[in-house]
Amino acid sequence: MAVTLPAVLAIDAGNSKTDVALIAPDGSVTATGQAGGFQPFLTGVAAAVDVLAEAMASVGLDHRGEGGGGPCAEYVSACLANADFPVEERELGHEIRRRGWGRVTAVHNDTFALLRAGLPPGAEPLGVAVVCGAGINCVGTTPDGRTARFPAVGRISGDWGGGGGLAEEALWFAARAEDGRGEPTELARALPAHFGLASMYALVEELHLGRVPAERRHELTPLLFAVAAAGDPVALALVHRQADEVVTMATVALRRLDLLDEEVPVVLGGSVLAARHPQLNDRIAAGLAERAPRARIAVVTAPPVLGAALLGLDALGSAPFAHSKLRARFG
């Protein structure tokens, strides 16, 4: 008897976690899995793709090594953080295809998943998405295939902010406030207190010596927003700068695509933007109203793997009801 494969193996791999989902032809989700962060620039391509295999193994799909155990799906839709240059997309795509997980494989930067998830059902691939999670990135697309992208590899490519960047800035201002090099800020008390420490000096020492793991710095970003919401001017200035950076990236992408005067969606996502901090999101809305007054803001709070799955269904020409069923599953 013939066995029907799942339609799509959807992969969303971010700096902090990796999600996979198997999607049936009718849009139902038959399995989901999760693993750790996807960082090929640190681990190398093969080890990074091993993390995707770990996420699959978490739901009983153990496809390690070349060829694996046969394809998992007709179409692999992989939306990956740190796939910022064409050469990276090619190398990652080659490694994923080598594993034999799908009959067809497509690799995109993870910003494309956010944009697809934020577009209305049946909409053309037209709009801009800004993701602000661990890092920050932006993409814009038009139906004729034009794109606007940024390298988004940190300060060397002109980036500012994201959750990791905000945490670093908060530490910088707090340290200088305590020792007198900078202006006073409540951050100098709140940041060390979060770790049960009495001073920024103590926190700097603990971070430097590794007694507070570096990965725990992400805990400081929500704290920064809380201090800003309480009215601290230094913290609030950082939040406002992040908002202005989001507006700038979206506006530049719209201008590159000749969309500044068009009614198009600007999709916001990632953990920082999805949290809907008023001091951040309200300033973004005001900035876009001034610089791109016809833009329509949408905030995506659904898991990004939804966008990867929708891209897969698009590629297979799936019926609208499959898209609707998938959206209903992820919210």
Side-chain angles (χ1 to χ4, degrees):
M1 184 176 71
V3 177
T4 301
L5 287 172
V8 178
L9 168 61
I11 302 171
D12 174 76
N15 282 286
S16 58
K17 65 180 178 67
T18 296
D19 288 301
V20 300
L22 276 175
I23 315 300
D26 67 353
S28 59
V29 179
T30 61
T32 61
Q34 192 171 90
F38 181 81
Q39 298 180 327
F41 63 96
L42 291 178
T43 66
V45 169
V49 175
D50 283 343
V51 174
L52 311 185
E54 290 172 14
M56 295 165 62
S58 72
V59 290
L61 297 170
D62 192 358
H63 279 64
R64 299 172 186 272
E66 188 165 2
C72 301
E74 293 288 345
Y75 193 93
V76 177
S77 177
C79 293
L80 311 175
N82 305 305
D84 296 300
F85 291 92
V87 63
E88 293 172 319
E89 292 180 345
R90 289 195 298 270
E91 290 174 350
L92 290 164
H94 174 77
E95 180 63 24
I96 293 171
R97 292 182 187 96
R98 188 181 69 81
R99 309 292 178 111
W101 295 342
R103 299 194 193 280
V104 178
T105 296
V107 171
H108 306 283
N109 183 269
D110 59 342
T111 50
F112 286 90
L114 173 63
L115 178 58
R116 182 63 185 86
L119 293 178
E124 295 182 304
L126 174 67
V128 166
V130 181
V131 59
C132 188
I136 187 167
N137 202 352
C138 175
V139 68
T141 65
T142 61
D144 61 8
R146 289 179 295 138
T147 62
R149 296 180 63 178
F150 299 86
V153 293
R155 291 186 64 85
I156 63 170
S157 61
D159 307 333
W160 189 89
L166 287 171
E168 292 292 325
E169 292 288 335
L171 286 164
W172 190 88
F173 278 97
R176 292 173 68 88
E178 181 176 273
D179 66 21
R181 287 177 292 173
E183 61 184 295
T185 171
E186 172 63 13
L187 293 168
R189 184 206 63 81
L191 269 57
H194 175 77
F195 295 101
L197 300 170
S199 67
M200 277 301 301
Y201 184 94
L203 177 55
V204 170
E205 180 181 19
E206 295 295 287
L207 287 168
H208 175 66
L209 297 176
R211 293 195 286 256
V212 172
E215 56 267 24
R216 292 197 63 192
R217 295 186 191 194
H218 76 274
E219 299 171 19
L220 300 177
T221 307
L223 188 57
L224 167 66
F225 280 97
V227 173
D232 182 84
V234 171
L236 189 59
L238 287 174
V239 172
H240 284 175
R241 182 178 176 186
Q242 182 66 91
D244 295 344
E245 184 70 11
V246 170
V247 171
T248 295
M249 295 187 85
T251 302
V252 168
L254 289 167
R255 184 170 65 243
R256 287 184 186 172
L257 298 172
D258 300 317
L259 296 175
L260 269 179
D261 298 320
E262 303 296 325
E263 187 173 326
V264 293
V266 172
V267 181
L268 307 179
S271 57
V272 173
L273 293 172
R276 297 177 184 265
H277 301 286
Q279 290 79 16
L280 178 68
N281 289 45
D282 289 354
R283 187 175 176 96
I284 291 170
L288 284 173
E290 179 180 345
R291 299 174 65 178
R294 300 191 67 189
R296 306 188 310 273
I297 295 176
V299 179
V300 171
T301 57
V305 73
L306 167 64
L310 288 169
L311 287 170
L313 291 180
D314 290 344
L316 294 174
S318 300
F321 76 84
H323 291 74
S324 299
K325 189 169 187 177
L326 180 64
R327 284 186 180 276
R329 165 63 173 78
F330 284 109

